[in-house]
Amino acid sequence: MSVPRFIDGASLPATTPPPLTGPWSPTDTRIDQAVLVPLPAGHAPEDVAVDPDGAVFTGTHEGVVWRLRGDAFEALADTGGRPLGIEHDPRDGSLIICDAYRGLLRLTPDGELHELTREAAGTAILFCNNAAIARDGTVYFSDSSSRFPLSHWRRDLLEHRPNGRVLAYDPASGTTSLVAAGLYFPNGVALTPDESALLVCETVAHRLTRIALPSGAATVLADLPAYPDNMSSAGDGTFWIALASPRVAIAERLLPHPGIRRVVATLPTWMQPQPGKHTIAAQVDADGTVLRTVHSPAGRYPMLTGVRQAGDTLWFGSLTERSIARVPLN
C-alpha cells in the first residue's frame, strides 16, 4: 500500500492540555530512578511482557524478539517486521506479537513463528499495535490506522481522524472479525476481568474508551492529560497505562486549522510538534478512575510506551531507548 502524500485533516475545536493535578500530580517520580537494563543490540523496545516464571519479553525496531531471564538476554526470533505489543499466552506459553508490518503473529516455545492474520473484513491490517488474550484464546487487538503505517504515524496524529479499529482473531476458526471501527488511533487494549468489555487507549484523542462485547458499543471513560500508548492488566481488576508524553499545546492549538496541519505534515520530523520528555504510568480501574500515577518529570526514560506489573515491580518499554527499565512499586 502506498502512503498518502498529504493528510486530510479534520477541522476541530482547539483544546487546552489540562494541568497535571489531583491524581495526576507528579509527586511519585520513581521512573526517574528506574533501573535500566540495556539490550544486547538494537533499540526501541516498545512493549514488555512477563511470564509466570519472571522472564521478560520485548521486541525492537530491528525486528528481534528478546527474552530476559535473570541477567541474560536471548534472541528468540526475528519477525522480519517491527514487533510492537507482546502478550504471553498462558494456555501454551507462546507469545502473541503485534507486528506493525506483518500483522498478528504467534511465537511458540519451540521458536517457531506463525502468521495468524493479515486482514479483517476484507481489508489489510495496516498497523497492528497492541493485544489482549481472552480465556478462550480469542485475541483482541488494535489496528491503529487504515491510512498510515508505523513509519508515518505522525501523519495520522496530525490528520486527527478516526482511522483505526479493534479486531478479534478466533484461533478455533482462524478468522478475524471487526469489533469496533471509527477510533482515533486505538493503541493499548485490555480485557475487563469478566471479559464483557475491552478498555482501549485512543492515542490521538488522548482518551480511555470502553468497548462492550460483543456489540462493539463505545463509551468514553476518561479524557487524559497525556497521550496513552500500550496498556496491560495488573491481574487484580486494575490496569496500567503507559503515557508517552503530556499533550502538546501547539498540536492542540492547530486542530481548527487543517490547512496548516497539512503543511506541517510535509515538514521534516524535527520541525513538527514534538512529544514532551515527561512520561507517566497510570493505574486505573475498569471504570477509568485513576488510582495511582508514577512519573518521570526529568524524562530520564523518555517515550515510555509499554508498562507491565510483575509482582511488586513495574517493567517499562520505550519507543526510543536502548534498554528496558524497571522500578519497585513499594
Side-chain angles (χ1 to χ4, degrees):
M1 175 183 174
S2 61
V3 179
R5 182 176 180 185
F6 298 108
I7 67 169
D8 178 22
S11 179
L12 299 165
T15 63
T16 301
L20 296 176
T21 57
W24 292 99
S25 296
T27 54
D28 185 342
T29 61
R30 69 185 65 200
I31 301 177
D32 277 332
Q33 287 78 47
V35 175
L36 303 184
V37 185
L39 297 164
H43 74 294
E46 199 260 1
D47 197 17
V48 283
V50 183
D51 73 11
D53 296 325
V56 182
F57 303 87
T58 192
T60 63
H61 174 82
E62 293 74 16
V64 178
V65 178
W66 295 93
R67 177 175 60 199
L68 173 66
R69 182 178 284 165
D71 296 323
F73 276 100
E74 177 187 2
L76 299 181
D78 186 338
T79 70
R82 190 356 174 162
L84 294 175
I86 295 182
E87 295 293 321
H88 177 263
D89 190 338
R91 299 177 312 137
D92 60 3
S94 64
L95 295 178
I96 293 295
I97 300 168
C98 292
D99 190 291
Y101 299 118
R102 292 194 57 194
L104 195 68
L105 310 176
R106 184 186 298 276
L107 178 62
T108 55
D110 61 4
E112 292 293 320
L113 196 62
H114 303 271
E115 186 176 284
L116 301 181
T117 180
R118 297 187 73 163
E119 68 173 32
T123 305
I125 297 166
L126 185 62
F127 197 151
C128 190
N129 201 332
N130 198 231
I133 306 171
R135 285 185 286 272
D136 67 357
T138 300
V139 181
Y140 296 93
F141 64 102
S142 53
D143 183 14
S144 294
S145 178
S146 61
R147 283 176 47 77
F148 301 101
L150 173 65
S151 57
H152 292 78
W153 63 268
R154 291 173 180 268
R155 292 189 189 179
D156 198 278
L157 270 65
L158 286 165
E159 186 166 279
H160 212 102
R161 288 191 182 274
N163 295 327
R165 56 185 179 167
V166 171
L167 306 171
Y169 171 76
D170 179 0
S173 63
T175 58
T176 307
S177 58
L178 177 68
V179 177
L183 301 172
Y184 288 84
F185 204 95
N187 201 330
V189 177
L191 276 158
T192 58
D194 63 2
E195 300 190 349
S196 66
L198 295 169
L199 299 186
V200 178
C201 292
E202 292 184 82
T203 303
V204 168
H206 38 72
R207 66 192 185 191
L208 179 63
T209 299
R210 181 199 297 270
I211 297 177
L213 297 174
S215 71
T219 303
V220 176
L221 297 180
D223 182 39
L224 305 171
Y227 298 112
D229 206 281
N230 293 338
M231 70 181 303
S232 61
S233 171
D236 60 358
T238 68
F239 308 87
W240 284 97
I241 300 173
L243 298 114
S245 162
R247 284 155 59 174
V248 178
I250 183 61
E252 302 205 12
R253 287 200 297 270
L254 288 176
L255 287 178
H257 308 289
I260 296 176
R261 301 206 314 276
R262 181 183 174 97
V263 173
V264 169
T266 67
L267 297 175
T269 297
W270 65 269
M271 296 181 67
Q272 297 179 18
Q274 298 298 312
K277 291 185 177 180
H278 186 153
T279 56
I280 308 169
Q283 187 179 24
V284 302
D285 65 17
D287 296 319
T289 302
V290 180
L291 307 175
R292 179 180 189 175
T293 58
V294 292
H295 296 251
S296 175
R300 291 181 181 149
Y301 195 69
M303 286 297 283
L304 191 154
T305 49
V307 58
R308 188 82 54 167
Q309 182 175 347
D312 289 333
T313 300
L314 278 185
W315 286 92
F316 302 118
S318 166
L319 193 61
T320 59
E321 297 306 286
R322 293 184 176 274
S323 61
I324 56 176
R326 69 174 187 265
V327 298
L329 274 174
N330 300 314

